[in-house]
């Protein structure tokens, strides 16, 4: 199954996340199909390509609970 989820980047105790489309069998920070945005929880900065996100959701990608909240916050859902 294809999922829209977060991968962690950034330094120790200073997380930053990328919003990616990945196969659910791949590891969290491993291989992914496409990057569609990023989220920085320290500054509350959020940028998501709404067009790509909607396309992937229409094609059957399932967002995780956390990403679903971020998509609502960005106005995609």
């Amino acid at each position: 199954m294809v999922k829209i989820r977060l991968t962690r980047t950034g330094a120790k105790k200073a997380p930053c996340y990328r919003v990616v489309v990945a196969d659910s069998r791949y590891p969290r920070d491993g291989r992914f199909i496409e990057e569609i945005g990023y989220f920085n929880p320290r500054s509350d900065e959020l940028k998501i390509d709404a067009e790509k996100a909607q396309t992937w959701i229409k094609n059957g990608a399932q967002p995780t609970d956390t990403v679903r909240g971020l998509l609502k916050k960005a106005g995609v859902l």
Side-chain angles (χ1 to χ4, degrees):
M1 172 189 284
V2 176
K3 290 194 170 229
I4 302 174
R5 64 185 185 191
L6 298 175
T7 62
R8 190 181 192 279
T9 59
K12 182 178 176 182
K13 297 191 179 187
C16 189
Y17 298 95
R18 291 181 184 164
V19 182
V20 298
V21 178
D23 191 309
S24 62
R25 297 171 290 187
Y26 296 156
R28 179 192 73 181
D29 296 336
R31 214 164 105 186
F32 59 87
I33 300 168
E34 185 176 15
E35 182 181 334
I36 60 172
Y38 62 86
F39 172 59
N40 186 348
R42 293 165 40 120
S43 65
D44 233 18
E45 184 179 4
L46 173 64
K47 182 168 190 251
I48 295 178
D49 187 337
E51 207 172 285
K52 287 182 183 179
Q54 288 174 343
T55 302
W56 278 107
I57 290 171
K58 285 178 187 173
N59 288 334
Q62 295 293 316
T64 60
D65 293 337
T66 306
V67 172
R68 187 181 307 276
L70 292 175
L71 291 173
K72 286 181 183 176
K73 186 176 177 181
V76 176
L77 290 181

